[in-house]
Amino acid sequence: MEFKIRKANRKDLTGIMEVMEEAAGNLQHPDWFVADEETAVKEHLEKDGFGMAAEASDGRIVGFFLVKYPKPEENLGVYLDYPPEKLGKVALMDSCAVRQAYRGYGLQGRLLQGAEEYLDTEKYTYLMCTVHPDNRFSLSNMQKNGYMIQATVQCYGGLLRHILVKDFRNQKKGR
């Protein structure tokens, strides 16, 4: 099966929300994935970050990856005691989901790699994400792509999460 991995735009909002709602509704473990409100996703796409879309050959969005440029109160670097100059260089690899029928094609990793290629890694050198400690699929995908567990904390209203970091200071764009 072939997929096009591309930067998402405003027109993809409905497709992204459908994937997000399906992912949130089909979880055996509901605390593994927290769905965003549509207004938050729209802000991701328009001003607070960007998204990547996995598009099937029929044009349907079957997966997404959202990257957020965090506000100070959302910055995961505070859990790691980052000083202000480091906090300003943090990007959140925030949310990813793939329709159940399209899992197993490596889309999470491909979307992540697409996001990293699009991200201004001169400005954002600390890429961070959270993963539930028992979510071995997402954890494995992130670790295969160079993210390392730096802490395990309660966040998002008390949900247990690993905080993973990838330090891009010594890596070049377009590896």
Side-chain angles (χ1 to χ4, degrees), residues 71-82:
K71 296 173 182 142
E73 66 272 13
E74 303 167 322
N75 198 314
L76 295 175
V78 299
Y79 290 101
L80 305 177
D81 295 321
Y82 277 20

Side-chain angles (χ1 to χ4, degrees), residues 28-87:
Q28 286 181 309
H29 308 282
D31 60 333
W32 284 15
F33 179 77
V34 178
D36 288 322
E37 296 291 326
E38 186 170 336
T39 54
V41 175
K42 185 177 179 191
E43 287 185 12
H44 267 81
L45 296 175
E46 294 180 350
K47 66 177 183 172
D48 292 339
F50 66 93
M52 300 301 291
E55 186 179 301
S57 57
D58 64 1
R60 184 176 182 201
I61 302 298
V62 298
F64 70 87
F65 200 108
L66 299 176
V67 177
K68 187 171 195 171
Y69 307 133
K71 296 173 182 142
E73 66 272 13
E74 303 167 322
N75 198 314
L76 295 175
V78 299
Y79 290 101
L80 305 177
D81 295 321
Y82 277 20
E85 62 274 7
K86 244 177 141 173
L87 289 173

Side-chain angles (χ1 to χ4, degrees), residues 49 52 59 69 71-72 75 78 84 95 99 107 109 127 135-136 155:
M52 300 301 291
Y69 307 133
K71 296 173 182 142
N75 198 314
V78 299
S95 184
R99 287 186 181 274
L107 290 176
L127 312 186
N135 186 342
R136 60 188 169 96
C155 52

